[in-house]
Structures are given as structure tokens and as C-alpha cells.
Amino acid sequence: MDLTKARKRLLEILCKNSFKYSENPIYKLASGKMSDCYINCKATTLDSEAMNLIGHIFYDKIKTLHVAAIGGLTQGADPIAVATAMISGIKDNPVNAFVVRKKAKEHGLKKLIEGNVNAGDKVVILDDVVTTGQSTIEAIEKAKKEGLNIVKVIVLIDRQEGGKEKIEKLGIAFDSIFTKDDLIKLSK
């Protein structure tokens, strides 16, 4: 797959399905802050064409990291992790997907993390959108609590509002596929 064309097409899908922009801050974020743009990646990350593109693009970012698994806080990371794991299997370089629950199950094994991943495994934490970094940091903390060795964070979109810097202060490498500026530029 031509990754330059894949990135271009994925950005187009994101702008069409998952991005709204206003000259004025009219969108309320989870933090309570008002913003000039709204990004909801679910309409993209759950789209069949976009999932294929996401899988290839994220796989390209992790293929040389020699990690056992990829995942993050449910729900934002789930489709990205699954798409990437699927492509890794097709490429004969299998990387498992995992899910970090918002809270541990109250029954059965009461797991906080689901998937074929074990303490000591090298992993990449994923997220769909990073704003302040809080949900990604929550996933990092929970993964560390379960003994996972985090080598990198990769997100689909960095809103460029301090999350990247907070994550890097934890000593974890950060990468994004796109930024809010990329979406604004294409949507104008």
C-alpha cells in the first residue's frame, strides 16, 4: 500500500466524517473547555475503508518497535488496535491488540486489561484523539500498574493542546498521524 496516498485518503475521510470547525469556540470538550473544532473519530475509525488505511498506517509506525501488543483506553483506541493487529498478522509480523478498561470488571477475573498481553511485554499505547492527554495518561498508568513496558504512544490526531507535552514529560515517546492543524488546513 502506498502510505502517502493512504494518509491523504485517511485525512479526507477524517475531515468528512469526524471533524467540524467554526470560527468561534462553540464546541464543548470533555474537559469543559470550549473549542473552535469538534473531533469525533468513531465515524472514521469504525469505517471499513478507514480501518484498512489506519491498520496499514499504524502498522508502519510500529513494525520495527518489536512490541508484543498495542492498545489503549476503551473506546477510542479499540478500533485502531484491532485494525493494526489485523494488518500485522497479514504482514507475518503479528502484534496483539489489548483493551484498557475504564474500571476493572467487578466479576470473573476482575481484569483491568483485556487481551493477549502479559506483565513485562513491550507495548504501544494508542488513542484516537489527544487533547490534554488525560485519557492517554490514564491508559499509561493502568498499563504500567499491570506490568506492561510502554515504549511509545501513537495517536491518530493530536489536538495540539498540551497532551503531547504531558505524555513526553513521563519519558514516553509520542507520535501522531495527524494534528488539528492538518484537519483545519484541509477543511478550509
Side-chain angles (χ1 to χ4, degrees), residues 172-187:
I172 299 171
F174 179 97
D175 196 3
S176 66
I177 308 302
F178 302 110
T179 65
K180 177 176 78 170
D181 286 349
D182 294 328
L183 295 167
I184 291 171
K185 183 179 174 183
L186 185 64
S187 67

Side-chain angles (χ1 to χ4, degrees), residues 48-62:
S48 61
E49 179 186 5
M51 286 178 85
N52 184 43
L53 299 169
I54 287 167
H56 280 91
I57 292 166
F58 274 79
Y59 173 74
D60 186 63
K61 294 276 188 186
I62 68 159

